[in-house]
Amino acid sequence: MTSGLEKIKENLGNNIKKYRKELKLTQFELSIQADIVEDFLQSIEVGRKMPSMETLGKIADALKVEPYELLK
């Protein structure tokens, strides 16, 4: 059974990837726009890492969505 945190990380990663692809951005391009390290973004997308609230906000801004949209 998947824990609550694991499910949140999975949903977050899937949503970031979905919005990134809708904007036709690569992970590298999104990492530049969000001012984060590409490897960290990749770890978030695959559900290995959880970003801070500040980083979540930067990613959301770069994807032109509200942060809560990434956590659905």
Side-chain angles (χ1 to χ4, degrees):
M1 183 172 176
T2 305
S3 75
L5 180 58
E6 294 303 314
K7 188 66 176 163
I8 290 170
K9 290 193 304 190
E10 180 182 331
N11 289 344
L12 175 62
N14 289 338
N15 287 331
I16 290 172
K17 186 175 184 177
K18 176 184 83 168
Y19 288 115
R20 177 176 62 77
K21 288 187 177 277
E22 284 178 7
L23 293 175
K24 296 179 174 52
L25 294 173
T26 64
Q27 286 180 336
F28 177 72
E29 291 166 332
L30 178 56
S31 70
I32 297 276
Q33 290 184 21
D35 192 30
I36 61 173
V37 177
E38 183 181 6
D39 287 346
F40 185 52
L41 176 62
Q42 183 181 26
S43 293
I44 296 168
E45 275 196 13
V46 298
R48 282 196 309 261
K49 301 260 177 141
M50 187 71 178
S52 68
M53 294 303 287
E54 180 181 354
T55 300
L56 181 64
K58 288 179 174 183
I59 294 169
D61 286 347
L63 293 172
K64 300 173 178 56
V65 298
E66 293 297 321
Y68 75 87
E69 293 291 334
L70 299 177
L71 295 169
K72 285 185 176 179

